[in-house]
Amino acid sequence: MTRPRRRRRSLALLAAATSLALTGAATGPAFAEPAPDAPEQVRNGDFSDGTSPWFTYGAGPIGVSDGRGCATVPGGLANPWDAGIGQEGIPLVAGGEYTLGFDASATPGTAIKAVLQLGSAPYTSYFAVDATAGTTPGRIERTFTAPADDARAQLIFQVGGSTDEQTVCLDNVSLRGGEPAEPYEPDTGPRVRVNQVGYLPSGPKNATVVTEATEPFAWQLKSAAGTVVASGQSTPRGVDAASGQNVQTIDFSSYRTAGTGYTLVADGETSHPFDISGDIYDQLRSDALQFFYIQRSGIAIDGDLVGAAYARPAGHLDVAPNKGDTNVPCQAGVCDYSLDVRGGWYDAGDHGKYVVNGGIATYQLLNTFERTKTAASAGGGTALGDSTLRVPERGNGTPDILDEARWELEFLLRMQVPAGKPFAGMAHHKIHDVNWTGLPLAPEDDPERRELHAPSTAATLNLAATAAQCARLFAPYDAAFATRCGTAARTAYTAAKANPTKYAPASDSTGGGAYDDTNVTDEFYWAAAELYLTTGEPAYLTDLTASPHHTADVFGARGFGWQGVAALGRLDLATVPSGLPAAEKTRIRASVTVAADAYLTELRAQAYGLPMPGDADSYFWGGNGNLINNAVVLATAYDLTGEATYRDGAVQAMDYVFGRNALNMSYVTGYGEQAAKNQHSRIFGNQLDPELPNPPAGSLAGGPNAALQDPFAAQLLAGCKPMFCFVDDINSYSTNEVAINWNSALTWIASFLADQGDGAIAPHGACRVDYVDYGLWHGGEGFTAQVTIRNTGTTAIDGWTARFAFTGDQKVREAWTAKVTQSGATVTAKNESYNARITPGETVTFGFNARTAGGANPAPGLFTLNGAACS
C-alpha cells in the first residue's frame, strides 16, 4: 500500500516539453481576457490549507512560511526543469480564455518559469511565463487562450538552474478562466447490484437494489435464455449510510442450479449477468498470484508465460538508463556501504521496494500455502503445487506459490545490515528512487538514482517474521535456503530487541512512500510467534506470551494491514500446529471466532453485505485490502470450526469487491462486466499510452477513500459519500492504485474461495486419529511416531489412505504396517493387505521413523482418511 505522497514527472520528459518554449515574458497562444466571473482552476493557491495538493521534485519538500509556499532548491542544477514546484489536475478547455497569476520571490534570487503543460508524455507546453524572482515578492499576471482540451494539465514552476541554493516562495497562485467543471456523475449501470463474477451453487446469493421504493417488490432470477427460474420478494433496508442510497436487498440463496449468464430483475431493472458455478474462482486464484510475477524487479518478464503485452526487460539491474539495484548506497549520513538489493516486487504503482509492505505480502502468500496443511477444504495443496502457476521456476519440485514468495524473500534477506556494521542484523526500511518519477514509466526506463534508507525496527521484525515462516515452509524443498532464512530470522529478532525504537520517519517521503510506524509492539508479537512456531524454543514463547497483544483483541473492526500486524501472529498461532497447551490453543482459536462473529454481525447489518462499518472512517487508502482481510478472518474461523456460517460470511463479503456496491464496480481487473482497469501504475499505463497494457487480470484496486488524498480525486469527487469516493482513473493514486499487500489479501481469499467448489459443506469423516511422538533417537537426528485411526462411523471402511503434513523438515525414513510415502511435507499412508478393513469402533495403527534437523516438531494439525477430515 502506498502512503499519501506527491508525484513528480520524469525530468527527461519535462526537459523535452519545456525545451520547446520560447524566451520572453510569455509563450503560448494569443492573449485574451477571461470573463469577470470565470472560475478558479488552481486549488489552495494561497496555501491557506497547508501544502496539499502542491508537490515538488528535485527540491526539498514544500512548506508554509509566512503564508507562502516555500521550498529549498539546491544550487548547481544544470537546467531550469531539474527542479520544480507544481500542481496536477488543472482543467483546460480549448479556446477558453485564462489569466495566470502568481506572487514569487527567491533568496538570493533566481529566474523561474511557470509552465502549463500536458500531464503525461509528450508533456506538450500549452503556455509558459518567464519571470525573475527576487527577495521581495513580485506579482506576475498573463492572459492566454488554451490551445487544447485537457482535464489533467500540470502547472509547473521550474526553479532549477541557479548556481546558488535558493529558497523559492510562491503565493496567490491563480488560474481563472474556462468553464465551471461539470459535476462528475459516475456511470453506475443497472440499479440491481450483484456479484458480477457469480455465486457458488450451494453458497449464499445476495443482491442490493437502489430504489425509491420503501415497500417490498417482486424479483425474478432469469436464465441466459430469459426463463424465470426463481422469484420472490425484496427486503427494504432504508438508507445505506455509506452510499446515501435508499436500498432493498434480495436473497436468492435457495436457487442452486449451475449455469452461466443469469440476470436478476427487480424494480424495472436488470442486473449485469453472472454465473452460478463451483469453479468461478479457480482462475482468480491463478490470476491474483500472477500479479506478483509481473511486478517482479530484476528479471525479464516472459511474455510466453503471461502474454506478450506484459513482457518487458529486467528492471533495475544497472542497464542504462537504470542506475540499478545491485550496488545501492545509503542516503547521506545513513551508512558507509552499498548493498546488492536486486529482486523483490515493485511495491505498488511506483518502482519502490518497502520491507514492511513486502513483509505482510510475503506472509500472506506463505500463509496461503501453509493453510493447505491445516484446512480440510484445501485439498492438500494440489491446486498450489509445482507447475500450477505461470512462473519461470515451474517444474523445479517446489510449489510455485513458494517460488513466487521466494523472489521477495531473497530481496528481504538482502536488505539486512551486514555483520560488523552499525545496526548489524537490522533491515533497511526501503529502497527507491531519489526523486519521484512520472506516469507512465517502465522499470527498465527509470533513470533515477536509487538509495537505501535507514534501518528500522519495524522492517527488521518483518524480516524476522517472514524469514521464520520461510525456514519451516522451505525446509522440505530447499534445506540450505531454509537454514539461511532461519539464521536471518534469529539475527533480525535479536537486532530488533537491541534497537526497539528505531522508527522510520513520516517525513521520509521524497521519491517513495514513508511507511512510517511508531508502534512496533505488534511486529514484536508477530515475529516472536513465527519464531516460536518454527523453532519451538521457550525464549520466543516467553516473549509472545508477555506481549500485551497476546490476550488483546487484535482484530479491529476495520481490518488489519501493514501497520498493524498482531493479527498475523494470532492467526498463525490459531492454525499452525505447535506445542502450546491445549487450553491456550482453545483460547486463541476462540479469539478468531469471536472476531468472526463480530464481522458477521456487521455484514448482516450492511445493506451491501460488508464486514466493515459503514462510516467514512472505514473507507480509506487501500480499504479493499483491509476488507478482504476481514473476510480472511471469517474464512479462518470456518477452517477452525467447519461451521458454514463463517464460510458463507467470507464468500458473501467478496460480493462487494466484485460489484455489489454503490458504484456497481468490480474492483478486480478482468472480473465482472464493469471492472476497474485504469489502476494507478507506472507499468500498466494504457490510459496514458495505448501501447502499454492495462493491469493484468486479477489486479485489485485500493478502493473508495473518503479522505480523497490525491488532487485528481479531490477535485473530481469533492463531497462524495464514502462508497462513491472512487474513480477508475490512473491519476487517482489514493483510490485506484495497485499494491502487493492488497493483492496478497486477494490471493489468500481467492485460494480459499476456489477450494470451496460448489459451496457444499464437506462433512467430517467418521474417524478419529491419535498421534503419538515417542521421542528422539540418534542423538536428536530423528524421532519415532505412531498413528492410530479409529472408525467412529457405523459402516466398515474397506481400504484406506491417510494423509497429513509436517510443519518443517521432518522426513519419514521407514514405516511399518502401512505403505508410507512422502512428497514435500505431505505424508501418505496406505493400508497393507492385512489391515485394509476397519470395522466400526475398531482401530488400525501404523508407525514410522523420521529424520529432522531440529526445530518445532508438533503433532500434525490435519489428518484425512480417504479424503475426509478426521477429528
Side-chain angles (χ1 to χ4, degrees):
M1 177 176 63
T2 310
R3 300 294 296 167
R5 61 202 189 195
R6 302 178 179 89
R7 295 296 197 269
R8 55 151 289 211
R9 299 302 183 188
S10 164
L11 296 182
L13 293 173
L14 282 169
T18 56
S19 66
L20 301 176
L22 304 175
T23 58
T27 62
F31 292 171
E33 189 68 41
D37 61 348
E40 176 62 62
Q41 307 295 355
V42 170
R43 287 136 10 242
N44 191 28
D46 61 359
F47 298 92
S48 59
D49 290 332
T51 60
S52 180
W54 293 94
F55 65 89
T56 63
Y57 69 86
I62 193 168
V64 178
S65 176
D66 295 329
R68 299 174 296 164
C70 301
T72 300
V73 183
L77 298 177
N79 304 293
W81 52 80
D82 288 342
I85 303 170
Q87 185 173 131
E88 298 181 297
I90 304 291
L92 296 177
V93 178
E97 300 168 343
Y98 295 84
T99 295
L100 173 64
F102 55 90
D103 299 340
S105 63
T107 304
T110 188
I112 66 173
K113 181 191 289 272
V115 183
L116 275 159
Q117 64 182 28
L118 182 69
S120 59
Y123 294 84
T124 306
S125 176
Y126 301 130
F127 184 69
V129 176
D130 288 293
T132 300
T135 55
T136 301
R139 182 71 181 170
I140 301 291
E141 283 196 359
R142 297 289 185 272
T143 59
F144 68 98
T145 301
D149 288 317
D150 189 343
R152 308 181 186 94
Q154 279 187 327
L155 173 60
I156 300 290
F157 290 88
Q158 297 176 0
V159 292
S162 174
T163 57
D164 301 317
E165 181 180 277
Q166 300 281 344
T167 299
V168 178
C169 296
L170 301 172
D171 200 4
N172 301 316
V173 183
S174 171
L175 180 68
R176 287 193 314 106
E179 298 293 333
E182 290 286 335
Y184 172 67
E185 292 290 339
D187 179 8
T188 56
R191 290 184 289 104
V192 182
R193 309 291 160 76
V194 297
N195 180 328
Q196 296 171 28
V197 175
Y199 301 87
L200 305 181
S202 297
K205 303 175 189 69
N206 295 275
T208 302
V209 183
V210 181
T211 179
E212 294 180 359
T214 56
E215 297 296 323
F217 46 71
W219 58 263
Q220 295 178 327
L221 178 66
K222 293 186 176 182
S223 68
T227 304
V228 176
V229 296
S231 61
Q233 292 285 304
S234 64
T235 301
R237 301 294 294 269
V239 175
D240 173 65
S243 66
Q245 300 167 319
N246 187 73
V247 295
Q248 299 200 28
T249 55
I250 293 170
D251 185 343
F252 57 107
S253 302
S254 60
Y255 186 79
R256 299 188 172 194
T257 303
T260 61
Y262 286 101
T263 54
L264 195 61
V265 180
D267 198 32
E269 292 275 313
T270 300
S271 73
H272 286 306
F274 56 86
D275 296 345
I276 298 177
S277 171
D279 60 8
I280 55 174
Y281 294 114
D282 289 1
Q283 187 62 42
L284 179 63
R285 168 159 44 198
S286 174
D287 286 345
L289 273 165
Q290 196 65 60
F291 174 84
F292 293 92
Y293 171 57
I294 300 174
Q295 286 284 117
R296 284 190 190 185
S297 175
I299 186 174
I301 304 305
D302 187 349
D304 289 340
L305 290 174
V306 294
Y310 298 101
R312 58 174 171 81
H316 298 99
L317 283 184
D318 303 304
V319 177
N322 284 173
K323 302 300 188 291
D325 286 356
T326 62
N327 190 34
V328 181
C330 285
Q331 283 181 309
V334 168
C335 74
D336 62 356
Y337 52 83
S338 296
L339 291 181
D340 176 356
V341 290
R342 59 194 155 85
W345 303 313
Y346 296 118
D347 176 71
D350 61 331
H351 299 143
K353 300 185 293 189
Y354 309 86
V355 170
V356 294
N357 214 40
I360 186 173
T362 303
Y363 161 86
Q364 289 196 299
L365 264 63
L366 293 173
N367 188 255
T368 299
F369 176 75
E370 191 153 38
R371 175 183 170 270
T372 68
K373 298 183 179 187
T374 59
S377 67
T382 56
L384 290 172
D386 190 21
S387 297
T388 58
L389 299 177
R390 293 155 284 165
V391 295
E393 298 86 0
R394 58 188 292 133
N396 65 354
T398 299
D400 289 342
I401 191 171
L402 294 185
D403 286 324
E404 190 57 68
R406 181 170 181 163
W407 193 260
E408 180 73 4
L409 282 164
E410 294 275 12
F411 160 72
L412 297 177
L413 293 170
R414 293 184 183 112
M415 291 289 279
Q416 194 161 29
V417 177
K421 298 294 184 180
F423 304 109
M426 295 193 77
H428 287 275
H429 195 70
K430 56 180 182 169
I431 176 258
H432 55 66
D433 291 341
V434 172
N435 294 299
W436 284 113
T437 54
L439 294 168
L441 184 65
E444 67 271 18
D445 294 332
D446 178 10
E448 288 289 344
R449 181 168 56 85
R450 311 274 273 178
E451 283 184 337
L452 283 168
H453 293 247
S456 73
T457 307
T460 304
L461 291 165
N462 271 260
L463 172 60
T466 54
Q469 280 182 291
C470 163
R472 64 177 181 264
L473 291 175
F474 277 88
Y477 307 103
D478 189 332
F481 182 59
T483 298
R484 181 178 158 212
C485 283
T487 300
R490 292 173 182 272
T491 301
Y493 188 75
T494 300
K497 291 186 75 172
N499 301 277
T501 58
K502 190 166 176 52
Y503 304 131
S507 59
D508 189 11
S509 59
T510 300
Y515 283 101
D516 52 301
D517 189 355
T518 57
N519 181 354
V520 296
T521 57
D522 53 317
E523 281 86 358
F524 270 110
Y525 176 64
W526 173 34
E530 299 297 349
L531 278 159
Y532 170 68
L533 291 170
T534 296
T535 68
E537 293 177 10
Y540 299 119
L541 178 61
T542 297
D543 284 356
L544 76 90
T545 54
S547 169
H549 296 285
H550 191 53
T551 54
D553 179 6
V554 298
F555 301 107
R558 296 178 179 87
F560 59 83
W562 67 267
Q563 205 170 28
V565 293
L568 309 186
R570 182 71 60 81
L571 288 170
D572 275 6
L573 289 171
T575 56
V576 178
S578 71
L580 287 171
E584 183 73 338
K585 289 181 183 178
T586 299
R587 182 191 67 79
I588 289 169
R589 290 171 178 171
S591 74
V592 177
T593 57
V594 167
D597 288 337
Y599 295 147
L600 286 176
T601 298
E602 188 63 67
L603 179 149
R604 291 161 181 157
Q606 295 274 333
Y608 279 107
L610 284 75
M612 290 244 295
D615 58 1
D617 289 342
S618 297
Y619 292 83
F620 48 84
W621 198 321
N624 276 350
N626 285 52
L627 181 143
I628 293 175
N629 285 334
N630 282 355
V632 168
V633 175
L634 285 162
T636 303
Y638 170 67
D639 286 343
L640 291 171
T641 67
E643 293 183 18
T645 185
Y646 296 128
R647 193 284 313 270
D648 287 352
V651 172
Q652 184 177 339
M654 294 304 293
D655 291 348
Y656 168 85
V657 174
F658 292 114
R660 187 191 173 198
N661 54 58
L663 286 167
N664 209 0
M665 168 77 71
S666 169
Y667 292 111
V668 180
T669 302
Y671 285 81
E673 190 84 3
Q674 182 174 330
K677 63 179 182 180
N678 295 311
Q679 288 98 320
H680 178 88
S681 168
R682 282 158 178 74
I683 301 174
F684 313 123
N686 177 267
Q687 188 179 0
L688 300 176
D689 182 351
E691 294 186 3
L692 296 175
N694 289 112
S699 300
L700 176 68
N705 177 7
L708 300 178
Q709 290 166 280
D710 66 79
F712 185 83
Q715 178 186 8
L716 195 69
L717 304 174
C720 55
K721 286 288 185 179
M723 205 181 289
F724 280 101
C725 296
F726 172 86
V727 58
D728 182 27
D729 194 288
I730 197 170
N731 292 285
S732 183
Y733 49 85
S734 74
T735 76
N736 197 37
E737 193 163 17
V738 292
I740 55 175
N741 61 314
W742 308 334
N743 248 75
S744 63
L746 181 65
T747 290
W748 197 105
I749 202 67
S751 188
F752 173 85
L753 293 172
D755 285 342
Q756 303 316 304
D758 66 4
I761 302 298
H764 265 60
C767 50
R768 191 184 75 219
V769 169
D770 292 312
Y771 179 92
V772 179
D773 182 346
Y774 287 104
L776 300 175
W777 46 263
H778 276 201
E781 294 178 6
F783 65 98
T784 299
Q786 180 172 285
V787 178
T788 301
I789 303 169
R790 180 178 295 276
N791 181 351
T792 59
T794 57
T795 59
I797 298 170
D798 285 309
W800 51 268
T801 299
R803 285 192 177 89
F804 63 89
F806 290 124
T807 57
D809 73 339
Q810 301 92 334
K811 180 69 175 177
V812 173
R813 192 182 73 172
E814 63 263 330
W816 46 91
T817 66
K819 302 180 184 73
V820 176
T821 58
Q822 184 172 347
S823 176
T826 301
V827 176
T828 301
K830 295 186 176 183
N831 63 267
E832 298 283 8
S833 59
Y834 54 81
N835 60 2
R837 183 177 176 84
I838 315 174
T839 57
E842 296 297 319
T843 63
V844 65
T845 297
F846 66 92
F848 59 87
N849 291 323
R851 294 188 180 278
T852 178
N857 187 25
L862 172 70
F863 288 88
T864 64
L865 187 69
N866 295 341
C870 296
S871 58

